[in-house]
């Protein structure tokens, strides 16, 4: 049951990262919340396998902190890469009039 709460908090953290960080228009609406959810859940499961007690506060802080870190870092990386990729495609289209094929 606690894993469900951690996943929910991770989704809320990811949702906050999506709306408070730049680059929102470069990605889908559930990408960053999904990243936050998965990060929180994976860290929680790993820490419980390592023997951390769910009733103590540290497992919550570490799991949710990992969710914040993953959401922020991946949001910035994905949006930056998407913006640069779009700019490269625009330049290629302006030069040749057709997208590059593989």
């Amino acid at each position: 049951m606690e894993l469900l709460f951690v996943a929910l908090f991770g989704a809320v953290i990811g949702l906050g990262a999506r709306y408070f960080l730049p680059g929102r228009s470069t990605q889908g609406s559930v990408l960053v919340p999904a990243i936050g959810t998965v990060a929180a859940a994976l860290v929680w499961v790993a820490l419980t396998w390592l023997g951390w007690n769910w009733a103590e506060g540290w497992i919550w802080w570490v799991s949710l902190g990992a969710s914040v870190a993953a959401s922020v870092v991946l949001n910035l990386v994905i949006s930056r890469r998407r913006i640069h990729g779009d700019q490269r495609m625009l330049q290629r289209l302006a030069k040749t009039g057709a997208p590059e094929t593989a």
Side-chain angles (χ1 to χ4, degrees), residues 31-66:
L31 179 63
V32 179
I35 290 169
T37 303
V38 169
L42 284 177
V43 170
W44 177 274
V45 169
L47 292 176
T48 56
W49 283 349
L50 290 174
W52 289 33
N53 187 0
W54 64 268
E56 295 176 5
W58 282 109
I59 192 169
W60 291 91
W61 286 108
V62 172
S63 298
L64 298 179

Side-chain angles (χ1 to χ4, degrees), residues 14 17-18 21-24 26-28 30-40 42 65-83:
R18 172 176 164 64
L21 294 174
R24 178 175 47 229
T26 62
Q27 49 201 265
V30 296
L31 179 63
V32 179
I35 290 169
T37 303
V38 169
L42 284 177
S67 176
V68 169
S71 297
V72 168
V73 169
L74 289 176
N75 183 18
L76 295 175
V77 167
I78 291 168
S79 62
R80 186 173 297 132
R81 287 185 57 128
R82 178 65 188 263
I83 289 168

